[in-house]
Amino acid sequence: MRILKYKEAISEATVQAMEADNSIFVTGHAVDYPSGIFGSTTAAAARFPDRVFDCPSMENGFAGIAVGAAAMGKRPLYVFPRADFMFLSFDNLLNLACKWRYMYGGNAGRVPIVFRAIVGKGWGQGATHSQSPHAPLAHFPGLTVALPATPADAKGLLLSALTGQDPVVIFEHRALYDTEGPVDEAMTPIPFGKANIVREGSDITIVATSFMVSEALVAAEELAARGVSVEIIDPRTVRPLDEKTILASVKKTGRLIVADTSWELCGFTSEVAALVAEKGFHHLKAPVRRIALANCPAPVSMKLEEAFYPKASTLANAALQLLGKASTDMAHIDQESLFKGPY
């Protein structure tokens, strides 16, 4: 199978879906610029110049236009270079798009709108440019929320979104755009609600989202050298959530760490901890451990930002603590952030 970068997989999925369905159009800030959102929309803009266009900074109004277009038979793919810009569109997304099929009982069609929202580490851009609101969005019935961690998932989940009937938000971590991996050339959608067992293990389960999957893999390699076997579960979608795969893994290992790219309180880590406490408590050999962002907005200072994000060493030491082992200095396994902006 071919090796593609994460951004190339998104680009290929977009072009293939637009070739198959002429009702799809792409909009958002800078989608038709030469930079093309890390190159993920460049090929679509060249192939379909009339269906890929920039939009003004009027997120709430334009989201309303996109919802209306979806209700009338179009398939908008609305790209937000930063998820933070999407906050202004929540009224139309949450009060209209995701309630549509419930309010009208199927008598007013469906709203197959797709939002791509870019999240993750900045380069010192601070509190309003580094947030990942996947947990609050997953709170709302009618909305699918996906966080692809690999190139194959980036393509497969986007294809599911662009061929489905309901609103979907896909969160893409900007540190993943140059990640490489095998990607099927065919149009093969990945179903929502089906977790990926990234690595099998027997001592401890790490449920990780988005970029934290990469950090968990690094931690697992280090722990394997110390005789600790780690199982990594990537839920792919936080709504719907594959409870069965998570509970089966905890039943096998008896220990759980949940690692997320957002905050802990009322977040995804809390949801998974509650799930296991409610339905798998009798399997646990130790308390659940949550790994999330520091309990404050992202700082502007690069040094403080480095401390703000949990890393592979954070996960590895948490695993050792759960196993009753002493934590050690593992700074050598932490990856240098290569992202330098501007998007």
Side-chain angles (χ1 to χ4, degrees):
M1 192 177 293
R2 308 157 308 147
I3 300 298
L4 293 184
K5 292 183 177 180
Y6 189 92
K7 57 189 177 187
E8 294 169 337
I10 294 169
S11 175
E12 185 169 86
T14 305
V15 171
Q16 288 181 342
M18 294 180 77
E19 287 174 342
D21 184 348
N22 61 17
S23 71
I24 297 173
F25 67 86
V26 180
T27 189
H29 294 160
V31 293
D32 59 354
Y33 286 14
S35 55
I37 315 295
F38 297 99
S40 65
T41 59
T42 307
R47 176 78 172 80
F48 305 102
D50 296 334
R51 292 161 58 192
V52 180
F53 52 91
D54 191 22
C55 74
S57 298
M58 44 178 283
E59 288 80 0
N60 191 22
F62 215 82
I65 293 170
V67 169
M72 295 303 293
K74 296 293 184 181
R75 285 184 175 274
L77 173 55
Y78 196 167
V79 184
F80 294 86
R82 298 190 187 287
D84 318 74
F85 301 166
M86 188 175 60
F87 291 0
L88 296 167
S89 68
F90 278 8
D91 180 35
N92 282 298
L93 176 63
L94 301 177
N95 263 331
L96 287 178
C98 63
K99 295 173 182 170
W100 197 271
R101 62 188 163 110
Y102 297 103
M103 291 194 298
Y104 299 113
N107 296 318
R110 306 294 278 264
V111 182
I113 187 171
V114 181
F115 283 10
R116 283 181 51 203
I118 298 169
V119 301
K121 297 178 182 178
W123 66 110
Q125 285 230 315
T128 61
H129 292 78
S130 301
Q131 302 161 98
S132 187
H134 49 280
L137 288 181
H139 186 66
F140 289 87
L143 190 62
T144 293
V145 181
L147 294 93
T150 66
D153 285 358
K155 179 176 180 179
L157 292 170
L158 180 56
L159 286 173
S160 280
L162 290 174
T163 54
Q165 295 300 315
D166 297 309
V168 179
V169 180
I170 301 176
F171 287 94
E172 301 162 6
H173 198 290
R174 60 173 65 94
L176 292 172
Y177 280 100
D178 284 321
T179 301
E180 295 183 333
V183 179
D184 191 345
E185 191 168 358
M187 287 183 64
T188 308
I190 291 176
F192 298 136
K194 178 61 178 174
N196 180 23
I197 303 174
V198 179
R199 178 187 176 113
E200 295 193 356
S202 56
D203 293 327
I204 191 163
T205 297
I206 297 179
V207 175
T209 61
S210 188
F211 185 64
M212 293 310 294
V213 176
S214 302
E215 300 287 34
L217 280 167
V218 174
E221 286 295 320
E222 177 69 16
L223 290 166
R226 298 167 184 251
V228 177
S229 175
V230 176
E231 180 149 297
I232 300 172
I233 305 294
D234 173 9
R236 288 181 169 139
T237 55
V238 297
R239 186 184 188 102
L241 180 64
D242 185 353
E243 297 184 359
K244 182 179 178 181
T245 298
I246 293 172
L247 291 168
S249 180
V250 173
K251 181 179 181 180
K252 180 167 68 171
T253 66
R255 300 175 182 85
L256 173 64
I257 294 173
V258 192
D260 189 31
T261 52
S262 189
W263 294 288
E264 179 181 288
L265 186 68
C266 298
F268 176 72
T269 61
S270 303
E271 179 62 32
V272 175
L275 165 71
V276 174
E278 189 174 57
K279 299 181 180 178
F281 184 76
H282 50 292
H283 298 308
L284 289 174
K285 300 172 183 174
V288 176
R289 178 72 185 273
R290 293 179 287 169
I291 303 293
L293 303 183
N295 191 24
C296 63
V300 173
S301 159
M302 285 294 288
K303 285 297 181 185
L304 290 176
E305 190 176 30
E306 287 175 9
F308 178 70
Y309 292 106
K311 305 173 181 65
S313 61
T314 317
L315 285 168
N317 268 316
L320 291 177
Q321 291 164 9
L322 273 186
L323 291 163
K325 301 176 182 291
S327 57
T328 61
D329 181 6
M330 293 193 209
H332 63 281
I333 70 171
D334 292 332
Q335 306 173 75
E336 179 187 358
S337 177
L338 300 177
F339 181 75
K340 305 300 179 188
Y343 280 109

